[in-house]
């Protein structure tokens, strides 16, 4: 269940003491919004080798502009 999943996420800590806060987002979002190829290319995104479509990091652009 979602409660169990959130509890597992909340129970995560690192060896340096980082604790995770997780809440369920119940907002209803518009469907069908498309991101342009140009906007996707502008992202500073690094995909991971394991499941690259699901496992990636997006960092701010160096210029600070998006």
């Amino acid at each position: 269940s979602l409660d169990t999943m959130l509890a597992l996420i909340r129970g995560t800590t690192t060896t340096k003491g980082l604790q995770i806060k997780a809440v369920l987002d119940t907002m209803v979002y518009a469907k069908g919004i498309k991101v342009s190829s140009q906007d996707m290319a502008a992202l500073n995104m690094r995909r991971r080798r394991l499941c690259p479509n699901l496992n990636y990091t997006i960092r701010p652009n160096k210029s600070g502009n998006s």
Side-chain angles (χ1 to χ4, degrees):
S1 77
L2 290 174
D3 289 332
T4 302
M5 185 177 293
L6 285 171
L8 289 170
I9 293 169
R10 289 180 189 130
T12 302
T13 58
T14 66
T15 57
K16 299 211 180 220
L18 175 69
Q19 296 179 339
I20 306 301
K21 292 184 180 180
V23 295
L24 180 61
D25 182 357
T26 59
M27 288 275 302
V28 176
Y29 294 92
K31 294 180 182 178
I33 296 174
K34 303 291 182 189
V35 177
S36 72
S37 297
Q38 184 178 7
D39 286 341
M40 285 299 291
L43 291 174
N44 184 7
M45 182 165 54
R46 178 179 173 217
R47 293 185 185 275
R48 306 297 177 167
R49 279 183 271 179
L50 179 66
C51 300
N53 288 338
L54 302 174
N55 191 9
Y56 52 86
T57 301
I58 299 176
R59 295 196 171 127
N61 290 319
K62 288 186 169 83
S63 68
N65 297 326
S66 50

